[in-house]
Amino acid sequence: DEGAVGGGLAFDESGMLLVGISDRGKGRNSGSLAQSKESLLGSIIRIDVNKGETYEVPKDNPLINAGNALGEIYAYGFKNPRTLVRGEVSNKLWASDSGRDAFEEINDLEPGGNFGWDSYEGTMCLLMRFQCQNARYISPHFSYPHKTGRTILLGPEYEGKKLSLSKGSLLFADGDTGKIFSLDVASKKAALVLDSDARISSLEADSDGEILVADYKSGKIFRLQSAAAEKKSQ
């Protein structure tokens, strides 16, 4: 789709590539294309990049036989799905979504699911009240308001030993504020891990499951560890 902005990339457990596609980005009127299954705008697509000249649409995609829907679509109703993560502990597919005016989101992806934009942002309905009551959208697994931050970035589910976090806690950061959080997937409660002045562009795991942080302000990559572990190593 012309004018679309690329977002996150991730491979699922069957080796299919998931790609996040924005609804054209800030300042451009997307209409309600994110709610249309006939447009790739505002969607996450799932494709097989090992077949065909460019790619093939997997035969088990959720909307492949759904009328006029584009077969590539795995889920839709997104503003800007900036990061995608396959949880190594939960085996879930996670997608962040950066809102326009009010909320940042973490979404637990469901095949064929409608995640609300531009009818919902976070849990805030942008329609008339009666339309909200009749709507069938998947709510975010977790969201936070723009007073907390405006650029959500997902990291891995934690599998290391240097941080005092439960195994499987989902790491995420806000690129604007430099804050890093952990999300308890079961309780849906987040806790602050680090408040920094970094301009975070990525959170990744090393071979030991520890968290690497890319800071494009300093041009450096840091590894997180607890203060107790740091003191012990000195």
Side-chain angles (χ1 to χ4, degrees), residues 101-179:
D101 298 318
F103 289 97
E104 303 293 287
E105 301 178 9
I106 296 174
N107 293 287
D108 178 1
L109 291 185
E110 295 183 18
N114 180 354
F115 287 83
W117 178 259
D118 59 352
S119 300
Y120 270 83
E121 184 174 345
T123 56
M124 179 178 69
C125 180
L126 306 178
L127 303 172
M128 301 294 290
R129 183 175 297 178
F130 77 92
Q131 293 173 299
C132 292
Q133 292 171 345
N134 295 327
R136 296 183 179 180
Y137 302 124
I138 300 172
S139 297
H141 192 82
F142 179 80
S143 64
Y144 63 85
H146 277 179
K147 66 180 181 181
T148 300
R150 302 179 65 91
T151 309
I152 188 170
L153 301 164
L154 293 185
E157 293 179 349
Y158 189 61
E159 297 184 87
K161 298 179 179 178
K162 292 185 179 295
L163 299 176
S164 300
L165 299 175
S166 300
K167 183 178 180 180
S169 296
L170 180 64
L171 276 293
F172 68 96
D174 192 275
D176 282 1
T177 66
K179 293 181 178 180

